Amino acid sequence: MIRFLTAGESHGKALTTIVEGFPSNLKIEKNYIDFHLKRRQMGYGRGGRMKIESDSVEILSGIRFQKTLGSPISLLIKNNDWENWTDKMTPGKRPGNIENISIPRPGHADLVGSGKYNFNDIRNSIERSSARETAARVAAGSIARSFLQNFRITIGSFVESIGNIYPADNFLHKLFNNNLPFNFDAWQLAEDADRSPVRVLEKKQEEKIIRKIKSVKKKGDTLGGTFVTVASGLPLGLGSFVHYDKRLDTEIAAAIMSINAVKGVEIGTGFSSAEALGSKSHDQIIKEGNNIIRKTNRAGGIEGGISTGMPVIVRGAMKPIATLISPIATVDLSTMKNILARRERSDFVAVPACAVISESMLAWVIAKFMLEKFGGDSIEETKDNYNSYTKKLNNRIKRNFR
Ligand SMILES: Cc1cc2nc3c(=O)[nH]c(=O)nc-3n(C[C@H](O)[C@H](O)[C@H](O)COP(=O)(O)O)c2cc1C
């Protein structure tokens, strides 16, 4: 069973994560983790913070000579901005000149956090609810991706829309129709998306989105959007229908929904399947040569809570950024007067980064189910178990019914 915990405040000294449960002898390279950390920082429409930070991981334990030891892996990502916040964020005695924040931003964790944790300073809520924490998740997710590479499972994502601007030819439909290149590899999608400053796959759409971000920014407003995350190379058989919490789709939905500001998750055709006929929703099972295949993948690679072996297709919706330069109404808790919300240095759009984070979350869930099914204390043992299962799988399905 793999698990990870993160710690760290947005303007604290560093973010840390402890990752546990991966087998030994798994190759992990610092550069690979840094590569994905950099990807999380990209995207047109980010605020000033990303110019200050240049995320890079320090591996503190669990890895020797670029290979896992089977022991807990601890990772550290320094916050460069900490230098500017040493007094405001000191774990020591409170300096006298620090002002409490009493004006909550609608759409953020400010008010609920202060109510729940009995804070008299909203800063205490802001610091941990900030999506800065997701850098630690990407570091943990990069370990999961390194593990999955051993089974040729790759993950990729692209931004489908920002501010309601969708592509003319949505790649999502190619995924549903299984109209994909031979040997489709989900990482190719991420590589294509990474070439765009807003991580979309169409140039015209990119131009429109950038224009829209510019005009919304001028008005002091923000935008959200949708993103698509895909995993390819999964074997049939991850997850189960035997219990609600054993279903692969249960965990994927929770993992994507756990990303800050994500308010909707869909697997396969999801919401639109609720509006379609059954005959147009399900993926027909057909025989091609000696194989049983599906021509379409509207199920998004999961049926009965179990992976079908086709790409897993997840779509997420991110709400607009809550911090507004032209703020909306709130109440100052120190005076109980109506007032406009506080401004804080902030992103205008973070859908591209959100998509990158979703890759890590999806990788994590798939790695968890892979290890649950194939186990092993060393990567060699996991691979042996995997090979034995996958080699016999097709014959077993056919033989059992004769
Ligand atoms: C990558 C990323 C960057 C974000 N940057 C900001 C930001 O700069 N300012 C802000 O107000 N919210 C930002 N958010 C959104 C907040 O973290 C989010 O609105 C907050 O956690 C409350 O959302 P919730 O209700 O989903 O928890 C960002 C989210 C993500 C995923």
Side-chain angles (χ1 to χ4, degrees), residues 42 51 72 74 123 125 132 165 204 253 287 368 381:
M42 294 185 333
K51 292 194 185 89
S74 48
R123 170 66 49 207
S125 299
R132 176 81 191 127
I165 299 174
K204 273 228 164 93
K287 192 173 161 282
K368 185 174 160 190
E381 193 184 345

Side-chain angles (χ1 to χ4, degrees), residues 72-113:
I73 299 165
S74 48
L75 306 171
L76 181 139
I77 303 158
K78 281 191 186 139
N79 287 327
N80 289 338
D81 209 11
W82 155 251
E83 307 283 325
N84 307 315
W85 288 73
T86 47
D87 53 344
K88 283 195 195 133
M89 288 302 294
T90 176
K93 229 173 153 187
R94 184 191 171 96
N97 55 346
I98 305 293
E99 236 178 87
N100 283 354
I101 299 176
S102 61
I103 305 172
R105 291 163 301 171
H108 224 300
D110 301 2
L111 180 59
V112 286

Side-chain angles (χ1 to χ4, degrees), residues 14 63 66 81 86 89 129 135-136 152 215 217 227 245 290 294 303 311 326 328 340 345 348 390:
I63 295 170
Q66 295 191 322
D81 209 11
T86 47
M89 288 302 294
S129 66
R152 291 173 300 283
S215 86
K217 200 171 160 183
F227 56 91
D245 57 352
N290 240 352
R294 324 277 186 131
E303 272 180 344
S326 304
I328 57 173
L340 291 177
R345 184 187 54 198
F348 294 92
T390 49

Side-chain angles (χ1 to χ4, degrees), residues 157-369:
S157 70
F158 64 93
V159 169
E160 185 198 26
S161 72
I162 289 178
N164 205 26
I165 299 174
Y166 282 81
D169 184 16
N170 197 336
F171 193 80
L172 191 56
H173 300 135
K174 290 202 174 77
L175 287 161
F176 293 152
N177 293 329
N178 202 25
N179 186 9
L180 300 170
F182 180 67
N183 272 343
F184 169 73
D185 168 357
W187 172 245
Q188 291 163 2
L189 272 181
E191 279 187 320
D192 289 347
D194 284 353
R195 283 187 208 109
S196 158
V198 283
R199 302 202 70 243
V200 297
L201 301 177
E202 271 183 12
K203 196 74 197 156
K204 273 228 164 93
Q205 185 199 12
E206 174 189 303
E207 288 161 5
K208 278 190 201 161
I209 288 176
I210 290 178
R211 271 202 302 275
K212 179 142 190 183
I213 296 174
K214 278 184 183 157
S215 86
V216 162
K217 200 171 160 183
K218 250 188 215 155
K219 292 179 191 137
D221 220 322
T222 60
L223 291 168
T226 58
F227 56 91
V228 176
T229 316
V230 182
S232 62
L234 279 76
L236 179 153
L238 300 186
S240 173
F241 45 70
V242 300
H243 224 306
Y244 69 95
D245 57 352
K246 302 263 183 209
R247 296 178 64 101
L248 181 60
D249 40 6
T250 301
E251 293 243 351
I252 289 175
I256 303 300
M257 195 62 128
S258 77
I259 304 169
N260 312 41
V262 170
K263 293 297 140 206
V265 183
E266 203 178 51
I267 293 177
T269 48
F271 282 91
S272 64
S273 74
E275 294 158 8
L277 290 170
S279 55
K280 299 279 181 288
S281 290
H282 303 299
D283 304 307
Q284 298 185 45
I285 301 170
I286 44 182
K287 192 173 161 282
E288 199 174 78
N290 240 352
N291 294 321
I292 300 161
I293 62 147
R294 324 277 186 131
K295 278 215 166 137
T296 54
N297 186 16
R298 297 167 186 138
I302 305 172
E303 272 180 344
I306 300 175
S307 59
T308 62
M310 297 188 87
V312 166
I313 308 165
V314 192
R315 185 163 170 255
M318 185 187 192
K319 70 181 179 183
I321 296 290
T323 310
L324 302 171
I325 299 293
S326 304
I328 57 173
T330 188
V331 172
D332 185 339
L333 304 175
S334 66
T335 60
M336 287 309 282
K337 288 207 169 113
N338 291 321
I339 192 170
L340 291 177
R342 263 185 66 255
R343 297 165 193 164
E344 163 125 4
R345 184 187 54 198
S346 177
D347 298 327
F348 294 92
V349 177
V351 191
C354 191
V356 171
I357 298 158
S358 78
E359 291 176 14
S360 272
M361 295 311 293
L362 183 59
W364 184 268
V365 173
I366 294 171
K368 185 174 160 190
F369 278 89

